[in-house]
Amino acid sequence: MKLVYVIPGPLNKKEVERRGIILKEWASPHVKVDIVRVEEGPASIESMYEEFLSIPATARKIYDLEKEGYDAAILGCAGDPGLEAYREITSKMLVVGPGMSSVHAASMLGYRFSILTVSNSTIPNSHELVRKSGLTERLASIKPVNIPVLDLATNRSETLKKIKKIAESSIVVDGADTIVLKCMSMGFLNIAEELQNDLGVPVINPAKAALKAAEFLVGSGYHHSNRAYLQPPKLAFGKVESLEELFIK
Amino acid sequence: MKLVYVIPGPLNKKEVERRGIILKEWASPHVKVDIVRVEEGPASIESMYEEFLSIPATARKIYDLEKEGYDAAILGCAGDPGLEAYREITSKMLVVGPGMSSVHAASMLGYRFSILTVSNSTIPNSHELVRKSGLTERLASIKPVNIPVLDLATNRSETLKKIKKIAESSIVVDGADTIVLKCMSMGFLNIAEELQNDLGVPVINPAKAALKAAEFLVGSGYHHSNRAYLQPPKLAFGKVESLEELFIK
Amino acid sequence: MKLVYVIPGPLNKKEVERRGIILKEWASPHVKVDIVRVEEGPASIESMYEEFLSIPATARKIYDLEKEGYDAAILGCAGDPGLEAYREITSKMLVVGPGMSSVHAASMLGYRFSILTVSNSTIPNSHELVRKSGLTERLASIKPVNIPVLDLATNRSETLKKIKKIAESSIVVDGADTIVLKCMSMGFLNIAEELQNDLGVPVINPAKAALKAAEFLVGSGYHHSNRAYLQPPKLAFGKVESLEELFIK
Amino acid sequence: MKLVYVIPGPLNKKEVERRGIILKEWASPHVKVDIVRVEEGPASIESMYEEFLSIPATARKIYDLEKEGYDAAILGCAGDPGLEAYREITSKMLVVGPGMSSVHAASMLGYRFSILTVSNSTIPNSHELVRKSGLTERLASIKPVNIPVLDLATNRSETLKKIKKIAESSIVVDGADTIVLKCMSMGFLNIAEELQNDLGVPVINPAKAALKAAEFLVGSGYHHSNRAYLQPPKLAFGKVESLEELFIK
Amino acid sequence: MKLVYVIPGPLNKKEVERRGIILKEWASPHVKVDIVRVEEGPASIESMYEEFLSIPATARKIYDLEKEGYDAAILGCAGDPGLEAYREITSKMLVVGPGMSSVHAASMLGYRFSILTVSNSTIPNSHELVRKSGLTERLASIKPVNIPVLDLATNRSETLKKIKKIAESSIVVDGADTIVLKCMSMGFLNIAEELQNDLGVPVINPAKAALKAAEFLVGSGYHHSNRAYLQPPKLAFGKVESLEELFIK
Amino acid sequence: MKLVYVIPGPLNKKEVERRGIILKEWASPHVKVDIVRVEEGPASIESMYEEFLSIPATARKIYDLEKEGYDAAILGCAGDPGLEAYREITSKMLVVGPGMSSVHAASMLGYRFSILTVSNSTIPNSHELVRKSGLTERLASIKPVNIPVLDLATNRSETLKKIKKIAESSIVVDGADTIVLKCMSMGFLNIAEELQNDLGVPVINPAKAALKAAEFLVGSGYHHSNRAYLQPPKLAFGKVESLEELFIK
């Protein structure tokens, strides 16, 4: 199985590399996982505006990656921005989002989950994610951590302490029995794993969940439904010959 | 009241002009409405991919239009692509979408509405539109017309006949009492108005509904909630100084 | 455009006049708005019982007003009592309710709204209003102000202070980003407008929202669906010749 | 146990008497059931307008009946018009509606029920009834019989044949496993009982269901919740001394 | 009418007798009610595991009871474990559960109910009960009492005091207007009746509600729908001749 | 990773062996999967009654298997009977059901899925499965195949043809874009895989989906939430010392 993890923006190369190594550690023995970044886009994604900014260049990258024979592309942003579009323009390569992978994993492990998200500004898209997944009735709460994505790693122990407190309140006050850490940067800081030990409930790491969901779905022989995600008609009916022609300047 | 209608792509100038004239006819006497187009983007929007393609340039255009003192911008695409993002980056100018305007208008006129949409490929985003509006339980059905957007005007009487038949089946089979014509190009071909006469039920023209909803909301003294659509944090907290800096190449 | 605002009970004439003047100020330049009151009914509406009490005489009034050539009648009670009945017995004149106008306006401006209602006794019909509008999933909370309708104006600054505190709790505790002031008397005391300035979120004035929604829908060329609100069969099939004959003493 | 069945309009006395006898036959041995009619109101109820017409006089009647020491009043109209109001103005006497009794009975007997209602014009209030009962997800379909209430008895075998065909389609096409006959006149024609025999699924007779639900709830020692149905504040706080004063002419 | 109350486990005989006497007191004069216990099963039911443990032997008991000519069997456990199975294997005798009887009774008396359940471990099956009944939108909250079933009677006044406090918080904080005491042991300690007096809202006793619901449904002439609860196919199509043969050792 | 597949009844040993070999072929290289059967129980599961029959002995088996150090147990019945109970009595070994695995897999691949189930008698528990998973709004339809489980393999090509026709109607009429084959016996006949090729949409094989979901969740480091599935209190608080003592004869 050959997977590729796609970071939807110009993350610095050292960090890309570091994440690539972690992904390889997580992957099952029979699975090869590469990592690529998109050369242009937002520095981090903390708003709907930045979500949308990331999509056109990421779409082109994913379109090209399909030709390289990957079985699945894993989107490197926990809000799954553009997922439907990426699925429209691929026909053999599965595209998986960490957001959907996380909320489905959570729903397979307990009755009600809480989402811890980066900031107030990502609450609406977290609601949107849950609504799109169809799992609204499983949601206990969505709570902001309110630490800027780019500062999460700077003071890891402070970050962890703050997140733990919020997670505990999700459990005790909101009735969650499972936690989703909706942030890819947290995913590569081993935070979910520590929290899970401390709290005694499953804490979903979206980066790992997305990788493992890709293994799950590819390993079962599935591709996203071409009946659900139709090719853009101009492409399907031959009015244009390439993805590029769909964009007119 | 000063409104601007924004076409999210490079529609040909003659058609832009024609639509501008119609909008002025529709507008209330005390309302001034301008029309602008975005210089780059998809030729028409018939897929999620093309929706996403249209957003970055349209966002920049809307951001600039706010500085020109408009009370509201009306998005020129019936699926409302990017609406949340446009609301995040404006603070005084209301942004209104034809999709939301239409489904709310329909819900104020009857119990259950059907959406007639361009093609199979725009059904998922029509469901998404209804889900986002919170009006799922009012939806009778979504039915594709399956005429390419760019061909709608070519054979107007054929188009009308086909649409009428589909609308009738929505009413008789699906139990709709109100119809939403989810396509801006149909909006400027007087199709909704003729259908309404023929069918005896309200038929919502999304272009007109969006203009009138802008008059409704601006006239009532409302702006979209800044508490709902938060400014991107990097901008809000002064980490970047302009919208452009949020995109890194 | 010719609209009429119908107060569903014997409000004192001076206050009727005062409200009439305010409505004219709110109306768009091309819109003529009259005000009438129904000569018998409850002094104010603070229970389901009083809602039902107001309907028969108001229905007869609205039935008569249609013959005077109005484009729309605006119901002067925020709970929309009898709206479906008024729509059944009119065929050309649109009937609009402040309740439905407010919750749809709120839903077009933000993600989640709270309703501030007069008293505990009007909470059930507020839930009913939201349920009927189909917007349940957009509701953050319903909170009683617990000031009798007839006392609202006596101590306006006290009223305002109390309402503001409740609205703030709706925002902070319940997560509302938009407020609906469900009370017509508050609507004519400029309370919503002051609150909106203070709170920085949209605060819907149901009286203004209903007037502007009428302008919106009539201006778009719509009437409520005759397929949704069917004429009483005895009238439709000629078994009786007038509305009066439907009531037997 | 002492119950009273209240017909919300001037049904002819002979028919009132006939129904009274049937009710006595249905009642359990320890239960006394009287029947009364309201002297003014609609001839039959086939629209929202007629529902509302029936309420004020019926409310006064029910208010007076409470003083006569009845344990429960049973509303004689399958749409439950005014039920909430009647509950607001009674404090010891339970008020029960045939609509709510029927949909709850149906939900206790199977997974999904269909409602057969009088005509197209009573479909919206049937939906409303289900929505108010909270049982929307148990509803398979609502189908009109389209026989005028006043003609049901004239050709009973024709009526029965037509209803049977519609019920069968509810079962086979819509997946219902239980049928609700939403019409009081049918209730006193032994139609539900015959249909139940023929179809082999429970067919709810709303008149009998309402009587038996009253026995169920009174027999268990329950009254409707005074916390749910609050007394009109003017009455509760002594601003008026009687129900009559709430209506001003 | 001939009913039988079935305790799904080996409760001590004295307590079985005591409950039998109470049931006879509750029953309407024309109703005969017997009590039986199942000879093997869990000591009390406080988990899903114990629910499932109770079912096979209870099913055999119920299957046999049908042959004795009972009109209805009343399940003696408030979570309704196995109800669907018991209905599949009976064809003339109605089977009624206290859980479903209670939530439907509550929904007929108010707008929103809270369930007080035995312990944290019975919260999930309480949610399940509400979900199965289709009444999710009527639920205000589910709160654990956290007194072991077998200790409830030991200190009755302490039990009552604790439950009252929890019920009050359901009303004031969660907005309930009706309470369901989901525990059969409480049902036979007169706790619901005392609470109802103290709190002034209906408090549903599941044991009494189930008995009275059986009277309601049998008295109306209904049996659970054989179209909803199909006989196991091997039995229906004659592949086995008795219930016993469905279980292979 | 060490998994065990548990057949909840006395399937013949040859077939158990055959399924064991297939499971090993499906498993990822680093995964060891054993198969066991429960020695008593129903011959096949085609009703709620048979579901419940299978649980007590299967619970004991799963309880014992945890002590053998398995990372996860996979339930061998597509309706997931008893899953909550099995999770209550295990603390380190994950328990996974094919039903939940299938509906979540389907929801990760498309917008709307249809379930093809064995017979009319398994439709209610299919609805229950979807309701429990929280994915009701993703369900297009549930359709019975109406071939007895024990006859599926006898005429495989006939079976396949019939299922294909039903699946096509799910897609065209009900709007499904993904199919779930809810039957373990079909799972081991390569039917899903052939159908997927023919239909061009994902067809979920519940046996494979459950195995791969176990790999997904165990591989991510998750166990079902002990906060969701609480140990039976008598066991948790030391009132009994073993599972056996919870059952009294």
Side-chain angles (χ1 to χ4, degrees):
Chain A
M1 194 185 308
K2 216 178 123 197
L3 311 177
V4 61
Y5 184 93
V6 183
I7 295 169
L11 186 68
N12 79 67
K13 290 201 174 164
K14 216 165 147 182
E15 178 62 12
V16 173
E17 225 167 85
R18 194 183 73 82
R19 295 190 182 186
I21 292 166
I22 294 175
L23 287 165
K24 280 179 215 307
E25 284 165 12
W26 287 342
S28 291
H30 63 300
V31 174
K32 188 177 171 307
V33 57
D34 292 331
I35 190 165
V36 302
R37 66 169 202 182
V38 175
E39 296 300 322
E40 60 178 40
S44 69
I45 295 183
E46 296 165 308
S47 61
M48 297 295 268
Y49 178 65
E50 284 158 308
E51 285 208 352
F52 290 126
L53 270 194
S54 77
I55 298 174
T58 303
R60 286 190 302 271
K61 174 67 86 181
I62 284 175
Y63 186 69
D64 290 343
L65 287 167
E66 180 167 38
K67 297 174 199 149
E68 299 183 23
Y70 286 104
D71 294 297
I74 300 157
L75 183 57
C77 176
D80 294 358
L83 186 66
E84 299 86 355
Y86 308 149
R87 289 181 160 197
E88 285 177 353
I89 59 173
T90 48
S91 57
K92 296 232 164 62
M93 182 177 72
L94 171 69
V95 189
V96 160
M100 53 156 266
S101 302
S102 299
V103 295
H104 284 288
S107 301
M108 287 198 265
L109 295 166
Y111 290 117
R112 282 156 58 84
F113 62 85
S114 280
I115 291 179
L116 306 198
T117 188
V118 176
S119 64
N120 288 323
S121 59
T122 55
I123 292 178
N125 109 310
S126 303
H127 275 293
E128 187 54 27
L129 175 70
V130 176
R131 210 157 40 223
K132 272 200 277 192
S133 72
L135 289 165
T136 301
E137 62 185 84
R138 293 308 203 83
L139 182 68
S141 59
I142 297 176
K143 285 177 177 300
V145 171
N146 281 327
I147 304 172
V149 170
L150 302 173
D151 301 358
L152 280 169
T154 334
N155 194 338
R156 192 180 167 286
S157 81
E158 207 49 46
T159 295
L160 189 60
K161 213 168 124 189
K162 194 173 179 190
I163 291 176
K164 191 182 161 185
K165 215 172 150 185
I166 297 170
E168 279 168 344
S169 136
S170 297
I171 294 170
V172 176
V173 180
D174 307 330
D177 51 46
T178 307
I179 302 292
V180 171
L181 267 197
K182 186 177 150 270
C183 172
M184 296 313 259
S185 295
M186 292 187 212
F188 290 98
L189 292 169
N190 208 38
I191 286 176
E193 290 71 13
E194 274 192 46
L195 265 182
Q196 179 164 299
N197 274 349
D198 286 5
L199 297 170
V201 302
V203 180
I204 312 297
N205 173 341
K208 200 188 276 180
L211 174 68
K212 291 293 170 181
E215 292 186 5
F216 166 31
L217 297 170
V218 171
S220 302
Y222 304 130
H223 180 265
H224 52 260
S225 173
N226 290 329
R227 190 110 193 167
Y229 307 95
L230 296 168
Q231 219 188 0
K234 293 184 195 74
L235 212 62
F237 300 123
K239 295 202 175 167
V240 301
E241 275 166 40
S242 73
L243 208 64
E244 283 69 33
E245 289 175 55
L246 289 175
F247 192 78
I248 295 168
K249 300 198 205 199
Chain B
M1 194 185 306
K2 218 179 123 197
L3 310 177
V4 61
Y5 184 94
V6 183
I7 296 169
L11 187 68
N12 80 67
K13 291 201 173 163
K14 217 167 148 179
E15 177 63 11
V16 174
E17 225 168 84
R18 194 184 73 82
R19 295 189 183 186
I21 291 165
I22 293 175
L23 285 165
K24 280 179 215 307
E25 284 165 11
W26 287 342
S28 291
H30 63 299
V31 174
K32 188 177 171 307
V33 56
D34 293 332
I35 190 165
V36 302
R37 67 168 201 181
V38 175
E39 296 300 321
E40 59 178 39
S44 70
I45 295 182
E46 296 166 308
S47 61
M48 296 294 268
Y49 178 65
E50 284 157 308
E51 286 208 352
F52 289 126
L53 269 194
S54 76
I55 298 174
T58 304
R60 285 190 303 270
K61 175 67 88 182
I62 283 176
Y63 186 70
D64 291 342
L65 286 166
E66 180 167 37
K67 297 176 197 148
E68 298 183 24
Y70 285 104
D71 293 299
I74 299 156
L75 183 56
C77 176
D80 295 358
L83 186 66
E84 300 86 353
Y86 308 150
R87 289 182 161 196
E88 283 178 352
I89 59 171
T90 50
S91 58
K92 296 232 165 61
M93 181 177 74
L94 173 68
V95 188
V96 161
M100 52 156 266
S101 302
S102 298
V103 293
H104 284 287
S107 300
M108 288 199 266
L109 295 166
Y111 291 116
R112 282 158 57 86
F113 62 86
S114 281
I115 292 179
L116 307 197
T117 189
V118 177
S119 64
N120 288 324
S121 59
T122 56
I123 291 178
N125 108 311
S126 302
H127 275 292
E128 186 53 27
L129 175 69
V130 177
R131 208 158 40 222
K132 274 202 274 192
S133 73
L135 289 164
T136 303
E137 61 186 86
R138 294 307 205 82
L139 181 68
S141 60
I142 297 176
K143 284 176 177 300
V145 171
N146 281 328
I147 305 171
V149 170
L150 303 172
D151 300 357
L152 280 168
T154 334
N155 194 338
R156 190 180 168 287
S157 82
E158 206 48 45
T159 294
L160 190 60
K161 213 168 126 189
K162 192 171 179 190
I163 292 176
K164 192 181 162 186
K165 214 171 152 184
I166 297 170
E168 280 169 344
S169 136
S170 297
I171 294 169
V172 176
V173 179
D174 307 329
D177 51 46
T178 306
I179 302 291
V180 171
L181 265 197
K182 188 178 150 269
C183 171
M184 296 314 262
S185 295
M186 294 187 210
F188 290 96
L189 292 170
N190 208 38
I191 287 177
E193 291 70 15
E194 275 194 46
L195 264 183
Q196 179 166 296
N197 274 349
D198 286 7
L199 297 171
V201 303
V203 180
I204 311 297
N205 173 341
K208 199 189 276 179
L211 173 69
K212 291 294 170 182
E215 292 187 5
F216 165 30
L217 296 171
V218 171
S220 303
Y222 304 130
H223 180 265
H224 53 259
S225 174
N226 291 328
R227 189 111 194 167
Y229 307 95
L230 296 169
Q231 219 187 359
K234 294 185 196 75
L235 212 60
F237 301 123
K239 294 201 173 167
V240 302
E241 273 166 40
S242 72
L243 209 64
E244 282 71 31
E245 291 175 51
L246 289 176
F247 192 79
I248 295 168
K249 298 196 207 200
Chain C
M1 193 185 308
K2 217 179 125 197
L3 310 178
V4 61
Y5 184 94
V6 184
I7 295 169
L11 187 67
N12 79 68
K13 291 203 173 162
K14 217 165 148 184
E15 178 61 12
V16 173
E17 224 167 83
R18 195 184 72 82
R19 295 190 183 186
I21 293 165
I22 294 175
L23 286 165
K24 281 179 214 308
E25 284 165 12
W26 287 344
S28 291
H30 64 298
V31 174
K32 188 177 171 307
V33 56
D34 292 332
I35 191 164
V36 301
R37 66 168 202 182
V38 176
E39 296 301 321
E40 59 178 40
S44 70
I45 295 183
E46 295 165 308
S47 61
M48 297 295 268
Y49 178 65
E50 286 157 306
E51 286 208 353
F52 290 126
L53 270 195
S54 76
I55 298 174
T58 303
R60 287 189 301 272
K61 175 67 87 183
I62 284 176
Y63 186 70
D64 290 343
L65 287 167
E66 178 166 40
K67 298 175 197 147
E68 298 183 26
Y70 287 104
D71 294 298
I74 300 157
L75 183 57
C77 177
D80 294 359
L83 185 65
E84 300 85 355
Y86 308 149
R87 289 182 161 197
E88 284 178 353
I89 60 173
T90 50
S91 57
K92 296 232 163 60
M93 181 178 73
L94 172 69
V95 188
V96 161
M100 52 156 266
S101 301
S102 299
V103 294
H104 284 287
S107 300
M108 288 199 265
L109 295 166
Y111 291 116
R112 281 157 59 84
F113 61 87
S114 280
I115 292 180
L116 306 198
T117 188
V118 176
S119 64
N120 288 323
S121 59
T122 55
I123 292 178
N125 109 311
S126 303
H127 275 293
E128 187 53 26
L129 174 70
V130 176
R131 211 158 37 223
K132 272 202 275 193
S133 72
L135 289 165
T136 302
E137 60 185 87
R138 292 309 203 83
L139 182 68
S141 60
I142 297 176
K143 285 176 178 299
V145 170
N146 281 326
I147 304 172
V149 169
L150 303 173
D151 301 358
L152 280 169
T154 334
N155 194 339
R156 190 179 170 287
S157 82
E158 208 49 44
T159 295
L160 189 61
K161 215 169 122 187
K162 192 171 179 191
I163 293 176
K164 191 181 163 187
K165 214 170 149 185
I166 297 170
E168 280 168 344
S169 136
S170 297
I171 295 170
V172 176
V173 180
D174 306 330
D177 51 47
T178 306
I179 302 292
V180 170
L181 266 197
K182 186 177 150 271
C183 172
M184 296 314 260
S185 295
M186 294 186 211
F188 290 96
L189 291 169
N190 209 37
I191 286 176
E193 290 71 14
E194 275 193 45
L195 264 183
Q196 178 164 300
N197 273 349
D198 285 7
L199 296 172
V201 303
V203 180
I204 311 297
N205 174 342
K208 198 188 278 179
L211 173 69
K212 291 295 169 181
E215 293 187 5
F216 165 32
L217 296 171
V218 172
S220 303
Y222 304 130
H223 180 265
H224 52 259
S225 173
N226 290 330
R227 190 114 192 164
Y229 307 95
L230 296 169
Q231 222 188 357
K234 296 187 194 73
L235 213 61
F237 301 123
K239 296 202 172 168
V240 301
E241 272 166 41
S242 72
L243 209 63
E244 282 69 33
E245 291 175 55
L246 289 176
F247 191 80
I248 294 167
K249 298 196 210 202
Chain D
M1 193 184 310
K2 218 179 123 198
L3 310 177
V4 61
Y5 185 94
V6 184
I7 296 170
L11 187 67
N12 78 68
K13 290 201 176 162
K14 217 167 147 181
E15 177 64 11
V16 173
E17 225 167 85
R18 195 183 71 83
R19 295 190 184 186
I21 292 165
I22 295 175
L23 286 165
K24 281 180 215 307
E25 283 165 13
W26 288 341
S28 291
H30 64 301
V31 174
K32 186 176 173 308
V33 56
D34 292 332
I35 189 164
V36 302
R37 67 167 202 182
V38 175
E39 295 300 323
E40 59 177 42
S44 70
I45 296 184
E46 295 166 309
S47 61
M48 296 295 269
Y49 178 65
E50 285 157 307
E51 285 208 353
F52 290 126
L53 269 194
S54 76
I55 298 174
T58 303
R60 284 190 304 271
K61 176 64 90 184
I62 283 176
Y63 185 70
D64 290 344
L65 286 166
E66 179 167 37
K67 297 175 197 149
E68 299 183 23
Y70 286 105
D71 295 299
I74 299 157
L75 183 57
C77 175
D80 295 357
L83 185 66
E84 299 86 352
Y86 307 149
R87 290 182 160 198
E88 284 177 353
I89 59 173
T90 49
S91 57
K92 296 233 164 60
M93 182 178 72
L94 172 69
V95 188
V96 160
M100 52 156 267
S101 302
S102 299
V103 294
H104 284 287
S107 300
M108 288 198 266
L109 295 165
Y111 291 117
R112 283 157 57 85
F113 62 87
S114 281
I115 292 179
L116 306 199
T117 189
V118 177
S119 63
N120 288 324
S121 60
T122 56
I123 292 178
N125 109 313
S126 302
H127 275 293
E128 187 54 25
L129 175 69
V130 177
R131 209 157 40 221
K132 274 202 275 192
S133 73
L135 289 165
T136 302
E137 61 186 86
R138 292 309 205 80
L139 181 68
S141 60
I142 297 176
K143 286 178 177 299
V145 170
N146 282 326
I147 304 171
V149 170
L150 303 173
D151 300 359
L152 281 169
T154 335
N155 195 337
R156 190 180 168 289
S157 81
E158 206 50 44
T159 295
L160 190 61
K161 212 168 125 188
K162 193 172 179 191
I163 292 176
K164 191 180 162 186
K165 213 170 153 186
I166 297 170
E168 281 169 343
S169 136
S170 296
I171 294 170
V172 176
V173 180
D174 307 330
D177 51 46
T178 307
I179 302 293
V180 171
L181 266 198
K182 188 179 150 270
C183 172
M184 295 315 261
S185 296
M186 293 186 211
F188 290 96
L189 292 169
N190 208 35
I191 288 177
E193 291 71 13
E194 275 194 46
L195 264 183
Q196 179 166 297
N197 274 348
D198 286 7
L199 296 171
V201 302
V203 180
I204 311 297
N205 172 342
K208 198 188 279 180
L211 173 68
K212 291 294 171 182
E215 292 187 5
F216 165 31
L217 296 171
V218 171
S220 303
Y222 305 129
H223 180 265
H224 53 259
S225 174
N226 290 329
R227 188 109 196 168
Y229 307 94
L230 296 167
Q231 220 188 359
K234 294 185 194 74
L235 213 60
F237 301 123
K239 295 201 173 167
V240 300
E241 273 166 40
S242 72
L243 209 64
E244 282 69 33
E245 291 175 53
L246 289 176
F247 192 79
I248 295 168
K249 298 194 205 200
Chain E
M1 192 184 309
K2 216 179 126 200
L3 310 178
V4 61
Y5 184 93
V6 184
I7 296 170
L11 188 66
N12 77 69
K13 290 200 174 163
K14 216 166 147 182
E15 178 62 12
V16 173
E17 225 167 86
R18 195 183 71 83
R19 295 190 183 185
I21 293 165
I22 294 176
L23 286 165
K24 280 178 215 308
E25 284 165 13
W26 288 342
S28 291
H30 64 299
V31 174
K32 185 176 172 311
V33 56
D34 293 331
I35 189 164
V36 302
R37 67 168 201 181
V38 175
E39 296 300 322
E40 59 178 40
S44 70
I45 295 184
E46 296 166 307
S47 62
M48 297 295 269
Y49 178 65
E50 284 156 310
E51 287 208 351
F52 290 126
L53 270 195
S54 75
I55 299 174
T58 303
R60 285 189 303 270
K61 175 67 88 181
I62 285 176
Y63 185 69
D64 289 344
L65 286 166
E66 180 166 37
K67 297 175 199 149
E68 299 182 24
Y70 287 105
D71 294 298
I74 300 157
L75 182 57
C77 175
D80 293 0
L83 186 65
E84 300 85 354
Y86 308 149
R87 290 181 160 197
E88 283 177 354
I89 59 173
T90 50
S91 58
K92 295 232 164 61
M93 180 178 73
L94 171 68
V95 189
V96 161
M100 53 155 268
S101 302
S102 298
V103 296
H104 284 288
S107 301
M108 288 200 264
L109 295 166
Y111 291 117
R112 281 156 59 84
F113 62 86
S114 281
I115 291 180
L116 306 199
T117 189
V118 176
S119 65
N120 288 324
S121 59
T122 55
I123 292 178
N125 110 309
S126 303
H127 275 293
E128 187 52 26
L129 175 70
V130 177
R131 211 161 36 226
K132 274 201 275 191
S133 73
L135 289 164
T136 302
E137 61 186 85
R138 291 310 204 81
L139 181 69
S141 59
I142 296 176
K143 285 177 179 299
V145 171
N146 281 327
I147 303 172
V149 169
L150 303 173
D151 301 358
L152 280 168
T154 335
N155 194 339
R156 190 180 169 285
S157 83
E158 207 50 43
T159 295
L160 190 60
K161 214 168 124 188
K162 193 171 179 192
I163 292 176
K164 192 181 162 188
K165 214 169 150 187
I166 297 171
E168 280 169 343
S169 136
S170 296
I171 295 169
V172 176
V173 180
D174 306 331
D177 51 46
T178 306
I179 302 292
V180 171
L181 266 198
K182 186 179 151 270
C183 172
M184 295 314 261
S185 296
M186 294 188 212
F188 290 96
L189 293 169
N190 209 36
I191 286 177
E193 291 70 15
E194 275 194 47
L195 265 183
Q196 179 165 296
N197 274 349
D198 286 6
L199 297 171
V201 303
V203 179
I204 310 298
N205 173 341
K208 200 189 277 179
L211 173 69
K212 291 294 169 181
E215 292 187 5
F216 166 30
L217 296 171
V218 171
S220 302
Y222 304 131
H223 180 266
H224 52 259
S225 173
N226 290 329
R227 188 107 195 169
Y229 307 95
L230 296 168
Q231 219 188 0
K234 294 185 196 75
L235 212 60
F237 300 124
K239 296 202 173 167
V240 300
E241 272 166 42
S242 73
L243 208 63
E244 281 70 33
E245 292 175 52
L246 289 176
F247 191 80
I248 295 168
K249 296 196 209 199
Chain F
M1 194 184 309
K2 216 178 124 197
L3 310 177
V4 61
Y5 185 94
V6 183
I7 295 170
L11 187 66
N12 77 69
K13 289 202 174 162
K14 215 166 150 184
E15 178 63 12
V16 173
E17 223 168 85
R18 195 184 71 83
R19 293 191 183 185
I21 292 165
I22 294 176
L23 286 165
K24 282 179 213 306
E25 282 166 12
W26 287 342
S28 291
H30 63 299
V31 175
K32 186 177 173 309
V33 57
D34 293 332
I35 191 164
V36 302
R37 66 169 201 180
V38 175
E39 296 300 322
E40 59 178 40
S44 69
I45 296 184
E46 295 166 309
S47 61
M48 296 295 268
Y49 178 65
E50 284 157 308
E51 286 209 351
F52 289 126
L53 269 195
S54 75
I55 298 175
T58 304
R60 285 190 303 271
K61 175 66 90 182
I62 284 177
Y63 186 70
D64 290 343
L65 287 167
E66 180 168 37
K67 296 175 198 150
E68 299 182 24
Y70 286 104
D71 295 298
I74 300 157
L75 183 57
C77 175
D80 294 359
L83 185 65
E84 300 85 354
Y86 307 149
R87 289 181 162 198
E88 284 177 352
I89 58 172
T90 48
S91 58
K92 295 232 164 61
M93 181 178 73
L94 171 70
V95 188
V96 161
M100 54 156 265
S101 302
S102 298
V103 295
H104 284 287
S107 300
M108 289 198 264
L109 296 167
Y111 291 117
R112 283 157 57 84
F113 62 87
S114 281
I115 291 179
L116 306 198
T117 189
V118 176
S119 63
N120 288 323
S121 59
T122 55
I123 292 179
N125 108 311
S126 303
H127 275 293
E128 186 54 26
L129 174 70
V130 176
R131 209 158 40 222
K132 274 201 276 192
S133 74
L135 289 165
T136 303
E137 61 186 85
R138 293 308 203 81
L139 182 68
S141 60
I142 296 176
K143 285 177 178 298
V145 171
N146 282 327
I147 304 171
V149 169
L150 303 174
D151 300 358
L152 280 168
T154 335
N155 195 338
R156 191 178 168 289
S157 82
E158 207 49 45
T159 296
L160 189 62
K161 212 168 128 189
K162 193 170 179 194
I163 292 176
K164 190 180 163 188
K165 214 168 153 188
I166 297 170
E168 280 168 343
S169 137
S170 297
I171 295 170
V172 176
V173 180
D174 307 330
D177 51 47
T178 306
I179 301 293
V180 171
L181 266 198
K182 187 177 151 270
C183 172
M184 296 313 262
S185 295
M186 293 187 211
F188 290 96
L189 292 169
N190 208 36
I191 287 177
E193 291 69 14
E194 274 194 46
L195 265 182
Q196 179 165 297
N197 273 349
D198 285 8
L199 297 170
V201 303
V203 180
I204 311 297
N205 173 342
K208 199 190 275 180
L211 173 69
K212 291 295 171 182
E215 293 187 5
F216 165 30
L217 296 171
V218 170
S220 303
Y222 305 130
H223 180 264
H224 53 259
S225 174
N226 290 329
R227 189 114 193 163
Y229 306 95
L230 295 168
Q231 220 187 358
K234 293 185 196 76
L235 212 61
F237 301 124
K239 295 199 176 171
V240 300
E241 272 165 41
S242 72
L243 209 62
E244 281 70 32
E245 292 175 52
L246 290 175
F247 191 78
I248 294 168
K249 297 197 207 200

